[in-house]
Every structure is written in C-alpha cells, then in structure tokens.
Amino acid sequence: MSVQVQHLTKEYGTQKAVNDLSFTIEEGEVVGLLGPNGAGKSTTMKILTCFIPQTSGTATVCGFDVASQSLEVRRQVGYLPESNPLYYDMYVKEYLLYAAGYYQLSNPQQHVARMIDLVGLGPERSKKIGQLSKGYKQRVGLAQALIHDPKVLILDEPTSGLDPNQLVDIRHLINEVGKKKTVILSTHIMQEVEAMCQRVLIINKGQLVDDRTLDQLPNNQMLLAVRFAETTSINQLKTIPGVIAVTELEKSVEFLLTAAAQTPLQQNLFAWAVQKQLTVVKMEERKTSLEDLFREKTQGGAA
C-alpha cells in the first residue's frame, strides 16, 4: 500500500489537532481528504510529508516511516501546500531548475522541459513567477511537486481561489496525474472531489468519521429540506417519526431531514408541525449527495 496511518496523534499543548487517526490508501488511488476548517487535514498532510513530527502513532509512505526514514519519504512524495510558497522574483524555468537541484536529479534541463510541457507552462516559461496569474502559479507549484516523478502526490487545497476556467485546467491535470500516481487532496469544493476522486476520507475534530468510495454514497435514504416560519432545533426535529438524522442548513429555521427510503416523511413532518404549532414555509425533496454526507458527519466541527 502507498500510505498507512495508524493511531496518529498530533498535540499542540492541550489541543489535539489529530486524534488517534488511522487509514490506509492503496497504490493508484485518488483520495479526497475532507473536513471543516480546523479538522486536522493540513496537519495530517504535513506529518505525511515530514514537515512536522507526530506526537504519537505511526505513518508510512511507500513502506518508509515518516519519523525514522524522512529522507526516503520525501523522495517518494510530491507536496503542494495550501500556501504554495513560491519565489516570486525567480523565473519559471529558473525556479524549476532550482527544484530539480534539491532532488539532485540528473539531466535537470530534461526534467524541467518535461514538467513545463506536462502542466502547460510553455507560454509562461520565461516570465517571473510574480507576474503569473493565480492559475499559472498553481501550475508552477504542481510542476515543483512532480518534478522528481514521485509515487505519491499530496495536494492541500490545490484549486483554492481559481476561476472556473482555471479550475477545469487544474482538474484535468490532476486527473491525468492520478492515472499513474497515488493522490491525496484536500478541498472544500465537493464538486471537485466528485470530479477527481474515487474515495473520500472525512475528518472531524482530528478523527476519521467516514471512509467510503464515491459509489458507496447512500441511495437507500430520502432527504427532505424543510424551512419553518418559527425557530426550532435539531433535537426537536429528531423526534419526528422515521427521522434518522438532522442537518442544520440555516440556523434554527432550515434543516435537512434524513429518513429511510420508504418512510412517509412528509406526512410525519406535517403531523409533527401541527402538534408543535410550527408553520412549514418550504419543503423540497433532495437526492443524497457528498455535501449532505459531509454535513451529516461534520456538524458541530471546528470553525
């Protein structure tokens, strides 16, 4: 397997950024690492790329331990952090030659030419990085992460801040790379996960709360979005017969109710609302989606 994490914990004083986290990722998988802000995604990625040490537990990449074999791990991993730290005063080709140098690659000019062609930097190769658009800066970051032909690619918010055209370009690039490598990426854009990933790991408060392939999204449930004129609460809505989960969409007035597929949820809802003297002002059936799963699993997570 490419990545194995067992009982991983990272503490900052009394705060546990990662809390007894375990998962495995097989060679060639493209996996989305999801969670609310502060859930521990970036911390987990930093541990896997040997930027910070764990407090306890173990993690291996391509069989190498991140704590005791960090140099070997770094040879196997390409990493694009969320901040994409680039040297803006360097030219694109100059920067990539520099990146090839710290991996001690033979024939660095050949590697740089290959990366420029792969990520579509040809028209910008002679510009300073600081002159590039956000989309092209992301391409430079990806080229840096890929220049040593790593077996595992770890991308932290790779599409953040891109316009729709740039999103399509970067998504296509990651899809192409994912045909040959193990890819772990974090993002808050559920459509990007559905377009690029085969599997999702959802983390909340440093713990794994869901692990499934995208074709395992629940299809034996019904979802009902409902809005009330008056305020109510999740705990109250959970008393409706047949409701198995409640997600708050807008504080105290709009909610997503989940029930088994054959439940007469609308009738149960109306009967309950009459009893509680609440007015239903909007009701809409929905299909189960990755976003619904995310909300269900992370409600009450860190901000």
Side-chain angles (χ1 to χ4, degrees), residues 54-111:
Q54 69 267 43
T55 303
S56 61
T58 62
T60 61
V61 178
C62 298
F64 298 106
D65 186 90
V66 299
S68 61
Q69 299 171 294
S70 63
L71 287 179
E72 289 299 329
V73 170
R74 294 175 197 214
R75 291 188 180 100
Q76 310 300 321
V77 171
Y79 179 39
L80 177 61
E82 182 179 5
S83 58
N84 193 8
L86 301 171
Y87 294 108
Y88 282 12
D89 288 334
M90 294 182 77
Y91 293 91
V92 170
K93 190 173 180 181
E94 177 189 16
Y95 173 72
L96 294 178
L97 282 170
Y98 167 72
Y102 58 67
Y103 285 111
Q104 299 180 340
L105 301 178
S106 59
N107 199 348
Q109 294 278 358
Q110 180 178 336
H111 286 279

Side-chain angles (χ1 to χ4, degrees), residues 3 77 108 150 171 174 234 241 245 263 270 279:
V3 178
V77 171
R171 181 197 300 168
I174 294 171
I234 289 175
T263 303
F270 279 120
T279 306

Side-chain angles (χ1 to χ4, degrees), residues 64-172:
F64 298 106
D65 186 90
V66 299
S68 61
Q69 299 171 294
S70 63
L71 287 179
E72 289 299 329
V73 170
R74 294 175 197 214
R75 291 188 180 100
Q76 310 300 321
V77 171
Y79 179 39
L80 177 61
E82 182 179 5
S83 58
N84 193 8
L86 301 171
Y87 294 108
Y88 282 12
D89 288 334
M90 294 182 77
Y91 293 91
V92 170
K93 190 173 180 181
E94 177 189 16
Y95 173 72
L96 294 178
L97 282 170
Y98 167 72
Y102 58 67
Y103 285 111
Q104 299 180 340
L105 301 178
S106 59
N107 199 348
Q109 294 278 358
Q110 180 178 336
H111 286 279
V112 169
R114 180 172 60 88
M115 281 300 102
I116 287 175
D117 181 61
L118 176 66
V119 305
L121 279 168
E124 313 295 322
R125 73 175 72 200
S126 299
K127 288 185 179 180
K128 283 189 175 182
I129 293 173
Q131 297 175 315
L132 302 179
S133 68
K134 177 71 181 288
Y136 275 109
K137 285 173 182 171
Q138 288 296 89
R139 292 175 191 239
V140 174
L142 281 168
Q144 170 275 140
L146 289 165
I147 195 149
H148 59 301
D149 195 23
K151 294 181 180 178
V152 178
L153 187 62
I154 297 179
L155 309 173
D156 196 354
E157 299 285 351
T159 58
S160 176
L162 301 184
D163 67 35
N165 292 328
Q166 293 168 339
L167 279 173
V168 171
D169 291 341
I170 297 298
R171 181 197 300 168
H172 175 73

Side-chain angles (χ1 to χ4, degrees), residues 147-200:
I147 195 149
H148 59 301
D149 195 23
K151 294 181 180 178
V152 178
L153 187 62
I154 297 179
L155 309 173
D156 196 354
E157 299 285 351
T159 58
S160 176
L162 301 184
D163 67 35
N165 292 328
Q166 293 168 339
L167 279 173
V168 171
D169 291 341
I170 297 298
R171 181 197 300 168
H172 175 73
L173 176 58
I174 294 171
N175 279 332
E176 288 301 306
V177 170
K179 294 177 181 178
K180 300 178 182 179
K181 301 182 185 300
T182 302
V183 180
I184 305 172
L185 67 92
S186 74
T187 180
H188 288 102
I189 306 172
M190 298 299 148
Q191 296 93 328
E192 295 304 301
V193 177
E194 292 172 333
M196 293 185 287
C197 299
Q198 304 151 359
R199 176 180 162 207
V200 292

Side-chain angles (χ1 to χ4, degrees), residues 228 232-246 257-258 265 268-269 271-273 275-276 278:
F228 298 95
T232 186
S233 70
I234 289 175
N235 288 336
Q236 286 180 304
L237 289 163
K238 285 182 177 178
T239 65
I240 298 173
V243 169
I244 56 178
V246 180
L257 310 181
T258 304
L265 185 55
N268 293 351
L269 168 64
W272 178 88
Q275 181 185 8
K276 300 294 182 181
L278 296 173

Side-chain angles (χ1 to χ4, degrees), residues 21-26 28-36 41 45 183-204 207-218 288-298:
L21 182 64
S22 298
F23 61 83
T24 60
I25 298 174
E26 300 295 334
E29 280 193 293
V30 180
V31 176
L33 187 63
L34 308 181
K41 306 183 301 297
M45 290 181 159
V183 180
I184 305 172
L185 67 92
S186 74
T187 180
H188 288 102
I189 306 172
M190 298 299 148
Q191 296 93 328
E192 295 304 301
V193 177
E194 292 172 333
M196 293 185 287
C197 299
Q198 304 151 359
R199 176 180 162 207
V200 292
L201 303 173
I202 301 179
I203 296 176
N204 192 35
Q207 296 180 314
L208 185 68
V209 294
D210 205 87
D211 175 1
R212 69 180 73 198
T213 59
L214 290 185
D215 60 9
Q216 291 175 323
L217 284 175
T288 304
S289 68
L290 182 58
E291 183 175 347
D292 297 324
L293 177 67
F294 180 87
R295 285 177 175 273
E296 177 187 337
K297 296 294 183 178
T298 63

